[in-house]
Each structure stands twice: as C-alpha cells, then as structure tokens.
Amino acid sequence: MTTVIIDYESGNLHSAEKAFRRMADEVGAGEVRVTSDPDVVRGADRIVLPGDGAFPACRKELFDHRGLFEAASEAVRDGGRPFFGICIGMQMLATRGMEYTETPGFDWIGGTVEAIAPDDRKLKVPHMGWNDLVIDHPHPVFEGISTGHHAYFVHSYHFRVDDPAERLAHVDYGGQITAIVGRDTIVGTQFHPEKSQSTGLKVIANFLRWTP
C-alpha cells in the first residue's frame, strides 16, 4: 500500500512527510512517498495534497505541474481512492476561492473560500493558534477524537460549504469556521494535522486506516 504526498512546490513538505510516515509505521499502512510524478499519483492507494500560501498561487503551481491534477482526479474521482487535503489543499476542493481575485477550485465539494470576518473585532486575522474542534457529523477520521480536542490553525480565509452535511467539524472564532470537510472518499482539514500534536496524528492515522 502506498500513500503519496503531492509535491507541487507549495510549502515545506518535511513536517507532513515525517508525520505521515510515523503514523503509517504505527498502523501498518505501508509506504509514504513524496512525489511530483503523475504516474506515481495515479497509481497510489491514498493521496495527500498539502498547501501553504495563497489560494491562487497554489492553484497555479499545481496546474503548472502538468498532469498532476489530472492524475489525482483520475485516482480520486474515477478510482475512488481516499484523498486528504491540508490547509490550501483542502480549500482548493471548493468551487471557487475569493483570495485577491476569484479563482476556480476543483469543485469536488461545493462552496466558496472567503475572508475570515470575526464578529469580535478584537480577534485578529490571520486566525493563528489553537482552537477546540466542534464535531458536526461523525466520520471514521474522528475515531478517538471528540468535540473539545484542539488543533492548530494558520489562515486568513475559510471554506464556506454549500451543503452543511459536508462540513464535518468547525471551530468558533468570532463565528463558525470550517475545520474539516468531507464527502465520499474525500476529506480535508483547514488545520495542519502535522502541527496539531496528538489530535492531528490521530486524524492522520485514522485516514491511513480508512477504507471507504
């Protein structure tokens, strides 16, 4: 079994690679590879898409790496492989992003990525730091995780989903902020699981064991 982390030159992959390899060893989930080869992505058993920075820049980098998005789409949308988007990798699942300019997303999960606008003006943007998760809908990635477990966030935009059933968890930050989305074989976290200590490692382990 092989889990691939897609390398499209968007962010430092070292922490994610280390966390996924650690948990793959613990749960017996096989090999974890970092790759920019579409053929490797197409043949993977599980796919992880990280991302740091701005939505338009990340999307451009991904699509500039010819064949990577198409390979991931073929594996996930056509082949039913489990997919995990992290931070901007999760946001790109949306229909569109509104950071700087309107940018099309994958439209795998309907919704719009919008600027965070807390009701409380004392709350700073970017939303940065630890927040307690509120579980909205049960999912296999939540095994051993419940409302009140905390995760680490760094972002100025958030994913407003069209279908409330596809928002699996949120946090409160001057209003509700989507923390985890999911449908079919797809999940995504706004927070960085590799930086979220025990909660993040549990999410990674649960994803690696998930057989949708």
Side-chain angles (χ1 to χ4, degrees):
M1 182 177 293
T2 301
T3 298
V4 300
I5 301 175
I6 296 178
D7 179 7
Y8 59 108
E9 299 178 26
S10 177
N12 181 0
L13 302 183
H14 176 70
S15 295
E17 178 185 4
K18 183 177 178 181
F20 273 85
R21 284 186 170 165
R22 172 183 169 182
M23 300 318 295
D25 287 344
E26 286 195 16
V27 303
E31 180 185 16
V32 175
R33 296 181 61 183
V34 175
T35 186
S36 57
D37 184 337
D39 289 335
V40 175
V41 172
R42 190 175 290 108
D45 298 292
R46 301 174 188 278
I47 295 171
V48 179
L49 181 69
D52 285 312
F55 186 114
C58 285
R59 186 190 185 282
K60 182 178 185 301
E61 285 291 340
L62 178 63
F63 280 80
D64 280 353
H65 285 69
R66 297 178 63 87
L68 271 180
F69 171 74
E70 290 79 6
S73 182
E74 182 179 328
V76 177
R77 302 284 280 176
D78 300 333
R81 316 289 168 67
F83 175 94
F84 191 154
I86 299 173
C87 195
I88 308 299
M90 173 268 234
Q91 291 185 0
M92 286 193 290
L93 296 170
T95 306
R96 67 188 66 82
M98 304 304 293
E99 188 169 3
Y100 301 125
T101 184
E102 183 172 344
T103 305
F106 301 172
D107 199 24
W108 290 3
I109 294 179
T112 302
V113 177
E114 305 173 348
I116 297 172
D119 294 337
D120 184 349
R121 293 185 179 181
K122 294 179 182 178
L123 295 174
K124 295 180 179 180
V125 178
H127 169 215
M128 182 181 300
W130 295 90
N131 267 104
D132 290 342
L133 297 174
V134 179
I135 306 300
D136 295 308
H137 301 287
H139 192 280
V141 298
F142 295 144
E143 183 179 347
I145 298 168
S146 58
T147 292
H149 280 74
H150 56 276
Y152 187 77
F153 293 78
V154 183
H155 63 125
S156 299
Y157 287 75
H158 70 116
F159 190 161
R160 191 179 297 278
V161 298
D162 291 340
D163 183 350
E166 295 175 353
R167 189 186 77 176
L168 303 182
H170 71 276
V171 297
D172 290 312
Y173 191 75
Q176 295 188 359
I177 301 290
T178 297
I180 305 177
V181 299
R183 60 168 295 185
D184 303 328
T185 65
I186 299 164
V187 294
T189 62
Q190 180 62 66
F191 60 87
H192 286 268
E194 74 279 10
K195 298 178 182 178
S196 295
Q197 298 180 358
S198 62
T199 298
L201 293 176
K202 285 180 183 177
V203 170
I204 291 171
N206 291 339
F207 170 75
L208 293 171
R209 284 190 295 239
W210 182 33
T211 54

